[in-house]
Amino acid sequence: MSDHRAAVRHHTLRTGMIEFDNGTGSIVSVPCTIRDVSGTGARVALNSSAWVAEEFTLVFSSGLRKGCRVAWRKERLIGGAFADGYASADEQAAMMTADEQARHRLGIGARVKAARETRGYTEAQLAQRLSVTPAFVALVEQGEADIPLYQLMHIADLLMVSLDGLVAGSVPEGVDAG
């Protein structure tokens, strides 16, 4: 499975635009619905049966513009892979609504808690090893606080799990993060 297909998708339904050069030097803008986003691309549904070039720019309502190339097509659905590779954390945040970001934080928190419990650490023990307060660990596990990437990397190392598993792995049972 390619990295693009394996990337965790965050379901969204929002309007956007696809822009591309029509071959004559003119830029064509086609409205679309952005259905899913991930760190490596987006799945979009065209609002018309318009032709779209192999390389295009996906314009999010936040103003974020991402260069894409067509990874696959199926009627009006297009899978677009980000031309510059993986989207940064700031770009991914701009691609998701506040509710989607909250669900994502909740999922990360649930995976951190599950990994911590599997390794037998208390919140206080993990907090001590991270040089943070136990209250901060509790907030992270409840999905109430953002955790910087360097701390997620440290947690992954301490709990002997992959960073990908913490950020995008399966959500433990009983947690509604999707």
Side-chain angles (χ1 to χ4, degrees):
M1 181 182 303
S2 76
D3 288 343
H4 293 287
R5 299 293 291 168
V8 172
R9 291 168 183 75
H10 302 284
H11 183 67
T12 103
L13 278 176
R14 70 174 55 103
T15 59
M17 295 293 283
I18 292 177
E19 294 180 347
F20 58 92
D21 185 324
N22 68 358
T24 66
S26 296
I27 300 298
V28 175
S29 295
V30 177
C32 67
T33 301
I34 302 168
R35 300 183 60 105
D36 295 297
V37 295
S38 73
T40 59
R43 182 173 61 128
V44 298
L46 298 178
N47 297 348
S48 68
S49 58
W51 173 82
V52 172
E54 289 298 310
E55 293 186 6
F56 61 91
T57 300
L58 182 57
V59 183
F60 292 83
S61 58
S62 65
L64 175 66
R65 302 172 67 83
K66 286 295 286 180
C68 298
R69 60 179 169 65
V70 173
W72 56 267
R73 295 176 194 251
K74 184 176 181 183
E75 298 175 6
R76 291 185 182 187
L77 287 178
I78 295 177
F82 296 143
D84 60 356
Y86 208 79
S88 71
D90 288 341
E91 289 173 326
Q92 288 184 54
M95 293 177 201
M96 293 189 284
T97 65
D99 286 344
E100 292 162 347
Q101 290 177 44
R103 285 193 305 272
H104 187 60
R105 274 193 314 273
L106 186 60
I108 290 172
R111 289 185 289 274
V112 167
K113 181 177 181 177
R116 174 184 58 75
E117 290 174 344
T118 297
R119 297 296 303 158
Y121 288 122
T122 65
E123 286 179 355
Q125 290 170 324
L126 181 59
Q128 180 182 19
R129 286 167 177 77
L130 293 172
S131 300
V132 298
T133 66
F136 178 73
V137 172
L139 288 173
V140 166
E141 290 183 355
Q142 295 164 12
E144 300 289 325
D146 287 319
I147 184 162
L149 180 59
Y150 76 91
Q151 283 182 328
L152 276 174
M153 292 169 61
H154 193 181
I155 290 170
D157 287 343
L158 284 171
L159 302 179
M160 297 192 284
V161 296
S162 72
L163 180 60
D164 285 346
L166 283 182
V167 174
S170 61
V171 178
E173 280 189 42
V175 176
D176 181 21

Coordinates of all heavy atoms in Angstrom, one line a residue, residues 10-63:
H10 N -9.1 12.3 7.2 CA -10.1 13.0 8.1 C -11.3 13.4 7.2 O -11.1 14.2 6.3 CB -9.4 14.2 8.8 CG -8.2 13.8 9.5 ND1 -8.3 13.2 10.7 CD2 -6.9 13.9 9.2 CE1 -7.0 12.9 11.2 NE2 -6.2 13.3 10.3
H11 N -12.4 12.9 7.6 CA -13.6 13.1 6.8 C -14.0 14.6 7.0 O -14.1 15.1 8.1 CB -14.7 12.2 7.2 CG -16.0 12.4 6.4 ND1 -16.1 12.0 5.1 CD2 -17.2 12.9 6.7 CE1 -17.3 12.3 4.7 NE2 -18.0 12.8 5.6
T12 N -14.3 15.2 5.9 CA -14.8 16.6 5.9 C -15.8 16.7 4.8 O -15.8 15.9 3.9 CB -13.7 17.7 5.7 OG1 -13.8 18.1 4.3 CG2 -12.3 17.2 5.9
L13 N -16.6 17.7 4.8 CA -17.5 18.1 3.7 C -17.5 19.6 3.6 O -18.2 20.2 4.4 CB -18.9 17.5 3.9 CG -19.1 16.1 3.5 CD1 -20.6 15.7 3.9 CD2 -18.8 15.8 2.1
R14 N -16.6 20.1 2.8 CA -16.6 21.6 2.7 C -16.3 22.0 1.2 O -15.8 21.2 0.5 CB -15.6 22.2 3.6 CG -14.2 21.9 3.3 CD -13.3 22.7 4.2 NE -13.6 22.3 5.5 CZ -12.9 21.5 6.3 NH1 -11.8 21.0 5.8 NH2 -13.2 21.2 7.5
T15 N -16.7 23.2 0.9 CA -16.5 23.6 -0.5 C -15.0 24.1 -0.7 O -14.4 24.5 0.3 CB -17.4 24.7 -0.8 OG1 -17.2 25.8 0.1 CG2 -18.9 24.3 -0.8
G16 N -14.6 24.0 -1.9 CA -13.3 24.4 -2.2 C -13.3 24.7 -3.7 O -14.3 24.7 -4.4
M17 N -12.1 25.0 -4.2 CA -11.9 25.2 -5.7 C -10.7 24.4 -6.2 O -9.7 24.3 -5.4 CB -11.7 26.7 -5.9 CG -12.8 27.6 -5.6 SD -14.3 27.4 -6.6 CE -13.8 28.2 -8.1
I18 N -10.8 24.0 -7.4 CA -9.7 23.4 -8.1 C -9.3 24.4 -9.2 O -10.2 24.8 -10.0 CB -10.1 22.0 -8.7 CG1 -10.3 21.0 -7.6 CG2 -9.0 21.6 -9.7 CD1 -10.7 19.7 -8.1
E19 N -8.0 24.8 -9.2 CA -7.6 25.7 -10.2 C -6.5 25.0 -11.0 O -5.6 24.3 -10.5 CB -7.0 27.0 -9.6 CG -8.1 27.8 -8.9 CD -7.5 29.1 -8.3 OE1 -6.2 29.2 -8.2 OE2 -8.3 30.0 -7.9
F20 N -6.5 25.2 -12.4 CA -5.5 24.7 -13.2 C -5.4 25.5 -14.5 O -6.3 26.2 -14.9 CB -5.8 23.2 -13.5 CG -7.1 22.9 -14.2 CD1 -7.2 22.9 -15.6 CD2 -8.2 22.8 -13.4 CE1 -8.5 22.7 -16.2 CE2 -9.5 22.5 -14.0 CZ -9.6 22.5 -15.4
D21 N -4.2 25.3 -15.2 CA -4.0 25.9 -16.5 C -4.7 25.1 -17.5 O -4.4 23.9 -17.6 CB -2.5 26.0 -16.7 CG -2.1 26.8 -18.0 OD1 -2.9 26.7 -19.0 OD2 -1.1 27.5 -18.0
N22 N -5.5 25.6 -18.4 CA -6.2 24.9 -19.4 C -5.4 24.6 -20.6 O -5.9 24.0 -21.6 CB -7.5 25.5 -19.7 CG -7.3 26.8 -20.5 OD1 -6.2 27.3 -20.7 ND2 -8.4 27.4 -20.9
G23 N -4.1 24.9 -20.6 CA -3.2 24.6 -21.7 C -3.0 25.8 -22.6 O -2.2 25.8 -23.5
T24 N -3.8 26.8 -22.4 CA -3.6 28.0 -23.2 C -3.1 29.2 -22.4 O -3.1 30.3 -22.9 CB -5.0 28.5 -23.8 OG1 -5.9 28.9 -22.8 CG2 -5.6 27.3 -24.6
G25 N -2.7 28.9 -21.1 CA -2.2 30.0 -20.3 C -3.3 30.6 -19.4 O -3.0 31.5 -18.6
S26 N -4.5 30.2 -19.6 CA -5.7 30.7 -18.8 C -5.9 29.8 -17.6 O -5.8 28.6 -17.7 CB -6.9 30.8 -19.6 OG -6.8 31.7 -20.7
I27 N -6.2 30.4 -16.5 CA -6.5 29.6 -15.2 C -8.0 29.3 -15.2 O -8.8 30.2 -15.3 CB -6.0 30.3 -14.0 CG1 -4.5 30.5 -14.0 CG2 -6.4 29.5 -12.7 CD1 -3.6 29.3 -14.1
V28 N -8.3 28.1 -15.0 CA -9.7 27.6 -14.9 C -10.0 27.3 -13.4 O -9.2 26.7 -12.8 CB -10.0 26.4 -15.8 CG1 -11.4 25.9 -15.6 CG2 -9.7 26.7 -17.2
S29 N -11.1 27.8 -12.9 CA -11.5 27.5 -11.5 C -12.7 26.6 -11.6 O -13.7 27.0 -12.2 CB -11.8 28.8 -10.7 OG -10.6 29.5 -10.6
V30 N -12.7 25.5 -10.9 CA -13.8 24.6 -10.9 C -14.2 24.4 -9.4 O -13.4 24.0 -8.6 CB -13.5 23.2 -11.5 CG1 -14.6 22.2 -11.4 CG2 -13.0 23.4 -12.9
P31 N -15.5 24.6 -9.0 CA -15.9 24.4 -7.7 C -15.9 22.9 -7.3 O -16.2 22.1 -8.2 CB -17.4 24.9 -7.6 CG -17.7 25.4 -8.9 CD -16.6 25.2 -9.9
C32 N -15.6 22.6 -6.1 CA -15.6 21.2 -5.7 C -16.0 21.1 -4.2 O -16.1 22.0 -3.5 CB -14.2 20.6 -5.9 SG -13.0 21.2 -4.8
T33 N -16.3 19.8 -3.8 CA -16.5 19.5 -2.4 C -15.3 18.7 -1.9 O -15.0 17.7 -2.5 CB -17.8 18.7 -2.2 OG1 -18.9 19.5 -2.8 CG2 -18.1 18.4 -0.8
I34 N -14.6 19.2 -0.9 CA -13.5 18.5 -0.3 C -14.1 17.5 0.6 O -14.7 17.8 1.6 CB -12.5 19.4 0.3 CG1 -12.0 20.5 -0.7 CG2 -11.3 18.6 0.9 CD1 -11.3 21.6 -0.1
R35 N -13.9 16.2 0.3 CA -14.6 15.1 1.1 C -13.7 14.5 2.2 O -14.2 14.2 3.2 CB -15.1 14.0 0.2 CG -16.1 14.6 -0.9 CD -16.6 13.5 -1.7 NE -17.3 12.5 -0.9 CZ -18.6 12.3 -0.8 NH1 -19.4 13.1 -1.5 NH2 -19.1 11.4 -0.1
D36 N -12.5 14.4 1.9 CA -11.5 13.9 2.9 C -10.2 14.5 2.7 O -9.8 14.9 1.6 CB -11.3 12.3 2.7 CG -12.5 11.5 2.9 OD1 -13.0 11.5 4.1 OD2 -13.0 10.9 2.0
V37 N -9.4 14.7 3.8 CA -8.1 15.2 3.7 C -7.2 14.3 4.5 O -7.6 13.7 5.5 CB -7.9 16.7 4.2 CG1 -8.7 17.6 3.3 CG2 -8.4 16.9 5.6
S38 N -5.9 14.3 4.1 CA -4.9 13.6 4.9 C -3.6 14.4 4.8 O -3.6 15.4 4.1 CB -4.7 12.1 4.4 OG -4.0 12.1 3.2
G39 N -2.6 13.9 5.4 CA -1.3 14.6 5.3 C -0.7 14.5 3.9 O 0.2 15.3 3.6
T40 N -1.2 13.6 3.1 CA -0.6 13.4 1.8 C -1.5 13.8 0.6 O -1.0 13.8 -0.6 CB -0.2 11.9 1.6 OG1 -1.4 11.1 1.7 CG2 0.8 11.5 2.6
G41 N -2.8 14.1 0.9 CA -3.6 14.5 -0.2 C -5.1 14.7 0.2 O -5.4 14.7 1.4
A42 N -5.9 14.8 -0.8 CA -7.4 15.0 -0.5 C -8.2 14.3 -1.6 O -7.8 14.1 -2.7 CB -7.7 16.5 -0.6
R43 N -9.4 13.9 -1.2 CA -10.4 13.4 -2.1 C -11.4 14.4 -2.3 O -12.0 15.0 -1.4 CB -11.0 12.1 -1.5 CG -12.0 11.4 -2.5 CD -12.5 10.1 -1.9 NE -13.1 10.3 -0.6 CZ -14.3 9.8 -0.3 NH1 -15.0 9.1 -1.2 NH2 -14.9 10.0 0.9
V44 N -11.6 14.8 -3.6 CA -12.6 15.9 -3.9 C -13.6 15.3 -4.9 O -13.4 14.4 -5.7 CB -11.9 17.1 -4.5 CG1 -10.9 17.7 -3.5 CG2 -11.2 16.8 -5.8
A45 N -14.8 15.9 -4.7 CA -15.9 15.6 -5.7 C -16.2 16.9 -6.5 O -16.4 18.0 -5.9 CB -17.2 15.2 -4.9
L46 N -16.2 16.7 -7.8 CA -16.4 17.9 -8.6 C -17.9 18.2 -8.6 O -18.8 17.2 -8.6 CB -16.0 17.6 -10.1 CG -14.5 17.3 -10.2 CD1 -14.2 17.0 -11.7 CD2 -13.7 18.5 -9.8
N47 N -18.3 19.4 -8.6 CA -19.7 19.8 -8.7 C -20.3 19.8 -10.1 O -21.4 20.0 -10.3 CB -19.9 21.2 -8.0 CG -19.4 21.2 -6.6 OD1 -19.3 20.2 -6.0 ND2 -19.3 22.4 -6.0
S48 N -19.4 19.5 -11.1 CA -19.8 19.4 -12.5 C -19.0 18.3 -13.1 O -18.1 17.8 -12.5 CB -19.7 20.8 -13.2 OG -18.3 21.0 -13.3
S49 N -19.3 18.0 -14.3 CA -18.5 17.0 -15.0 C -17.3 17.7 -15.8 O -16.8 17.1 -16.8 CB -19.4 16.2 -16.0 OG -20.0 17.1 -16.9
A50 N -16.8 18.8 -15.3 CA -15.7 19.5 -15.9 C -14.4 18.6 -16.0 O -14.2 17.8 -15.0 CB -15.4 20.8 -15.2
W51 N -13.7 18.8 -17.0 CA -12.4 18.2 -17.1 C -11.4 18.9 -16.2 O -11.5 20.1 -16.0 CB -11.9 18.2 -18.5 CG -10.5 17.8 -18.7 CD1 -10.0 16.5 -18.9 CD2 -9.3 18.6 -18.8 NE1 -8.7 16.4 -19.0 CE2 -8.2 17.7 -18.9 CE3 -9.0 19.9 -18.6 CZ2 -6.9 18.1 -19.0 CZ3 -7.7 20.4 -18.7 CH2 -6.6 19.5 -18.9
V52 N -10.5 18.1 -15.5 CA -9.5 18.7 -14.6 C -8.1 18.2 -15.1 O -8.0 17.0 -15.3 CB -9.8 18.3 -13.2 CG1 -8.6 18.8 -12.3 CG2 -11.1 18.9 -12.7
A53 N -7.2 19.1 -15.2 CA -5.8 18.8 -15.6 C -5.1 17.8 -14.6 O -5.6 17.7 -13.4 CB -5.0 20.1 -15.7
E54 N -4.1 17.1 -15.0 CA -3.4 16.2 -14.2 C -2.7 16.9 -13.0 O -2.5 16.3 -11.9 CB -2.3 15.4 -15.0 CG -2.9 14.4 -15.9 CD -3.7 13.3 -15.2 OE1 -3.2 12.7 -14.3 OE2 -4.9 13.1 -15.6
E55 N -2.3 18.2 -13.1 CA -1.8 19.0 -12.1 C -2.7 20.1 -11.8 O -3.1 20.8 -12.8 CB -0.4 19.4 -12.4 CG 0.6 18.3 -12.5 CD 2.1 18.7 -12.7 OE1 2.3 20.0 -12.7 OE2 2.9 17.9 -12.9
F56 N -3.0 20.4 -10.5 CA -3.9 21.4 -10.2 C -3.6 22.0 -8.8 O -2.8 21.4 -8.1 CB -5.4 20.9 -10.3 CG -5.7 19.8 -9.3 CD1 -6.2 20.1 -8.0 CD2 -5.6 18.5 -9.7 CE1 -6.5 19.0 -7.2 CE2 -5.8 17.4 -8.9 CZ -6.3 17.7 -7.6
T57 N -4.2 23.1 -8.5 CA -4.1 23.6 -7.1 C -5.5 23.5 -6.4 O -6.5 23.9 -7.0 CB -3.7 25.1 -7.2 OG1 -2.5 25.3 -7.9 CG2 -3.6 25.7 -5.8
L58 N -5.4 22.9 -5.3 CA -6.6 22.8 -4.4 C -6.7 24.0 -3.5 O -5.7 24.2 -2.8 CB -6.6 21.5 -3.7 CG -7.9 21.2 -2.8 CD1 -9.1 21.2 -3.6 CD2 -7.7 19.8 -2.1
V59 N -7.8 24.7 -3.5 CA -7.9 26.0 -2.7 C -8.9 25.7 -1.7 O -10.1 25.5 -2.0 CB -8.3 27.2 -3.6 CG1 -8.4 28.4 -2.8 CG2 -7.4 27.3 -4.8
F60 N -8.5 25.7 -0.4 CA -9.4 25.5 0.7 C -10.1 26.8 1.1 O -9.5 27.9 0.8 CB -8.6 25.0 1.9 CG -8.1 23.6 1.7 CD1 -6.9 23.4 1.1 CD2 -8.8 22.5 2.2 CE1 -6.4 22.1 0.9 CE2 -8.3 21.2 2.1 CZ -7.1 21.0 1.4
S61 N -11.2 26.8 1.8 CA -11.9 28.0 2.2 C -11.1 28.8 3.1 O -11.3 30.0 3.2 CB -13.3 27.6 2.8 OG -13.1 26.8 3.9
S62 N -10.1 28.2 3.8 CA -9.3 29.0 4.7 C -8.3 29.9 3.9 O -7.6 30.7 4.5 CB -8.5 28.0 5.6 OG -7.6 27.2 4.8
G63 N -8.2 29.6 2.6 CA -7.2 30.4 1.8 C -6.0 29.5 1.5 O -5.2 29.9 0.6

